[in-house]
Amino acid sequence: MNKSELIEALSQDVNIPHREAAAITNTVIDTMTEALAKGDSIEIRGFGSFVVKQYESYEGRNPKTGKKIKVKPKKLPFFKVGKDLREQVDLKRKK
């Protein structure tokens, strides 16, 4: 599912105009993005949580040339799936 499909599903499920569904979806995504950018974590019970992990610098290799390069420290968002979602996905897989 992509963003436009999510907007369409919200519009149909709640019976609201497409424009309102798009505004709601954009607000949720923007708010989550801002929270993660500030270093906050997000927890949605039953779905999962988003946290920002900090990675130290390390020495890597350029895949084309094989030359050693220094990779700078970085922060990346990480998603940890919730128990309810994990069980739902696993049930669908077993059927």
Side-chain angles (χ1 to χ4, degrees):
M1 174 178 273
N2 60 32
K3 186 176 175 181
S4 61
E5 292 170 338
L6 178 61
I7 291 168
E8 187 61 36
L10 177 62
S11 175
Q12 290 177 358
D13 287 354
V14 186
N15 197 25
I16 58 175
H18 188 272
R19 182 170 288 184
E20 285 182 40
I24 291 168
T25 303
N26 288 331
T27 300
V28 169
I29 292 171
D30 291 345
T31 304
M32 290 174 72
T33 301
E34 290 170 12
L36 290 171
K38 288 191 304 186
D40 295 340
S41 60
I42 301 167
E43 181 181 339
I44 303 170
R45 301 266 173 166
F47 182 73
S49 60
F50 296 87
V51 294
V52 177
K53 286 193 171 185
Q54 178 139 2
Y55 296 91
E56 300 298 323
S57 64
Y58 60 94
E59 193 173 87
R61 292 192 181 270
N62 181 326
K64 282 188 177 180
T65 64
K67 182 180 175 184
K68 291 183 180 182
I69 57 171
K70 181 152 174 98
V71 179
K72 296 178 184 176
K74 57 188 165 190
K75 295 178 184 178
L76 294 173
F78 177 78
F79 177 73
K80 182 177 178 186
V81 68
K83 180 181 175 186
D84 293 345
L85 177 58
R86 183 177 56 242
E87 289 173 353
Q88 284 289 330
V89 170
D90 195 38
L91 280 176
K92 299 287 185 196
R93 187 178 64 93
K94 288 181 179 178
K95 288 184 179 181

